[in-house]
Amino acid sequence: MALPDPDAAQRSLHSPKRTIETDVCVVGGGVVGVAHALAARRRGLGVVLLEQEARAHGASVRHSGHLFFTALAGAGTDAGPLAARELWLELARRAGTPAGTDGTIILAHSREELEVMQAVAGEHPGRARMLTRREATTLLPAAGERITGALFGLMDLLVDPRTITAALTRLLAKDAQARVEFRAHVHALGGGVVEAGPLSVRAGNVIVCPGAYDHGLLAALPAGEELVSETVQMLRLAGLRRLGPAITTGIALLEHPVFANAPGAEALRARLELEHPAAVEHGVAPLLAPLAGGGLIVSQARSGGRGRAPFRAERLDALLLEATRALLGCDLEVRERWTLRVLRDPADSGAEQDFHIRAPESGVRVVRALSQRALALCHWQAEKTLGELLDAPAPARPPVPPVLTVTDLRAHADAFRSRPGRSV
């Protein structure tokens, strides 16, 4: 299983061949790949992480940083989300970039939205609670006339999307039993050997986490189920409020099965489609995620186009800004605009699947995120993936290895330093 590598001969003139032996090789240095590498270290395994770019540049730095555990309330057993949240808190603390714990406020503007929220809050009273209209309008006075109440997601977290992956990778790289290799373009994989230019990694287990921005390596693996990609438009606004809870609205409820399958959800969808047809059609569900350094990330608006759409739709940005202005009641200053590519399984009409996982050969797993909820669950999914590969269940409360805390956080990949591996 190999891809053409036209530069291999030229590189071989300048780079001697190196071979490293390790227990686990992770291909892909995004947040999902780093989560799997950290999971391997929690089990005491040596790990080599290979990233083809000089830094993470895909979904790992383009998301909102919102860890929406409230939307996981009905996803399987409670053990996974609770353990995933503990892992996020501990790892973020050790990486020197603690996660915000102010939760999420989901505003209701109609009786139908309120009923869906009440149904979910009633099933999980320790993880979400309802706010009265007065409590909700205290948070956002500008939207007060239209608010009927709100749901307060108590467990939701916020991380800085621009720095969190870099911080976790530096945490991994400071571990003597881990090695991080950037600009390592993998061109062949099979039989427990991963080839990346002059570097050859021999590993008992290989985990490939290519994300939505890397399809080249997948051509070297046996064909799997086809996934499609969609483009999501994102904005960053100038600082408007202090760091606090994330805020979203009832349209966002349609994006998550725990709400979309709750009693009253059909009536809610019918009302939203009647009152906000364009917003529902394009998934314009404003989520306001405050950044620790100031400003807001506002997401999301789906372009609806498949693949790598080259252009943004200005009218979707306009819809997103209009909805945000209605919540904040002030003029908005856009500082940045970008797109996020997300994957989905066209056969999964219920939208219940958070990860797409396949095993192209023994000892190899390909793991790709499919939902907004996957960011919150990635560390727990990493434990499950390692458990399946090693035929050992994930511990109830996975321990975190005693690695050094990062105190001088820099987002650029030059801040990383790889430790020597075991060469042969």
Side-chain angles (χ1 to χ4, degrees):
M1 297 183 291
L3 289 173
D5 188 13
D7 299 326
Q10 182 68 23
R11 284 200 307 270
S12 65
L13 297 176
H14 307 283
S15 303
K17 189 70 175 179
R18 293 179 295 151
T19 301
I20 301 173
E21 291 183 346
T22 190
D23 299 312
V24 177
C25 179
V26 178
V27 180
V31 66
V32 176
V34 173
H36 282 78
L38 289 167
R41 287 301 302 126
R42 283 194 293 274
R43 293 173 179 266
L45 303 173
V47 62
V48 173
L49 176 68
L50 305 178
E51 165 56 40
Q52 68 175 355
E53 303 291 343
R55 69 186 80 178
H57 74 288
S60 296
V61 296
R62 302 179 191 221
H63 60 80
S64 67
H66 184 229
L67 306 181
F68 201 9
F69 290 98
T70 299
L72 296 167
T77 65
D78 287 345
L82 290 173
R85 186 177 187 274
E86 288 186 15
L87 282 167
W88 261 116
L89 286 171
E90 179 64 13
L91 288 168
R93 182 188 67 80
R94 288 177 176 268
T97 175
T101 58
D102 292 316
T104 304
I105 306 295
I106 308 176
L107 298 171
H109 296 91
S110 68
R111 175 179 55 82
E112 289 82 356
E113 291 175 349
L114 205 58
E115 289 178 354
V116 169
M117 294 177 190
Q118 288 170 340
V120 173
E123 292 182 1
H124 305 277
R127 298 164 63 176
R129 71 178 181 88
M130 296 303 299
L131 299 180
T132 65
R133 180 181 182 278
R134 182 176 180 179
E135 290 173 322
T137 53
T138 299
L139 295 170
L140 285 175
E145 294 183 2
R146 300 170 54 238
I147 294 176
T148 58
L151 182 143
F152 186 12
L154 304 173
M155 296 183 60
D156 300 334
L157 305 176
L158 278 172
V159 295
D160 189 331
R162 308 280 175 110
T163 61
I164 187 61
T165 302
L168 292 177
T169 308
R170 287 189 63 189
L171 185 67
L172 176 70
K174 285 180 175 289
D175 191 323
Q177 298 302 313
R179 177 166 182 157
V180 179
E181 291 278 346
F182 287 96
R183 294 189 176 92
H185 181 77
V186 174
H187 57 86
L189 188 161
V193 180
V194 180
E195 300 286 352
L199 178 63
S200 178
V201 181
R202 299 182 182 275
N205 296 282
V206 178
I207 303 172
V208 183
C209 304
Y213 289 81
D214 181 359
H215 301 279
L217 175 61
L218 299 183
L221 298 171
E225 298 84 354
E226 180 183 1
L227 301 178
V228 297
S229 64
E230 294 181 336
T231 301
V232 175
Q233 297 184 186
M234 313 273 287
L235 305 168
R236 184 174 72 86
L237 307 181
L240 297 170
R241 55 188 287 262
R242 296 179 179 177
L243 188 63
I247 294 178
T248 188
T249 63
I251 293 180
L253 303 181
L254 303 180
E255 298 283 329
H256 304 282
V258 66
F259 296 106
N261 297 330
E266 292 184 6
L268 169 60
R269 178 176 289 276
R271 175 161 184 164
L272 291 173
E273 288 177 344
L274 179 65
E275 296 181 348
H276 308 283
V280 173
E281 178 185 0
H282 297 288
V284 180
L287 168 71
L288 281 58
L291 293 166
L296 289 170
I297 289 181
V298 180
S299 61
Q300 67 177 5
R302 294 180 183 270
S303 71
R306 295 187 178 185
R308 305 184 180 187
F311 307 111
R312 295 176 62 89
E314 184 63 27
R315 67 189 184 93
L316 296 187
D317 280 356
L319 285 172
L320 195 57
L321 287 169
E322 180 184 352
T324 303
R325 191 175 293 109
L327 292 176
L328 299 177
C330 62
D331 292 332
L332 306 176
E333 180 184 351
V334 178
R335 291 291 180 86
E336 291 177 319
R337 304 171 189 257
W338 69 96
T339 57
L340 165 68
R341 192 180 307 148
V342 295
L343 295 173
R344 66 178 179 87
D345 185 346
D348 186 19
S349 58
E352 296 280 359
Q353 195 174 359
D354 297 311
F355 294 90
H356 182 268
I357 302 170
R358 62 187 183 96
E361 66 177 56
S362 177
V364 177
R365 293 292 186 274
V366 179
V367 183
R368 309 184 83 182
L370 293 185
S371 75
Q372 301 174 59
R373 302 172 299 274
L375 179 65
L377 280 175
C378 64
H379 293 292
W380 181 246
Q381 177 57 52
E383 289 290 342
K384 293 171 62 178
T385 304
L386 265 295
E388 293 173 2
L389 280 172
L390 303 173
D391 195 23
R397 297 188 58 174
V400 180
V403 293
L404 298 176
T405 300
V406 178
T407 56
D408 181 22
L409 176 63
R410 298 191 299 278
H412 196 278
D414 290 345
F416 296 92
R417 295 292 180 266
S418 299
R419 299 246 178 205
R422 291 176 291 170
S423 300
V424 294

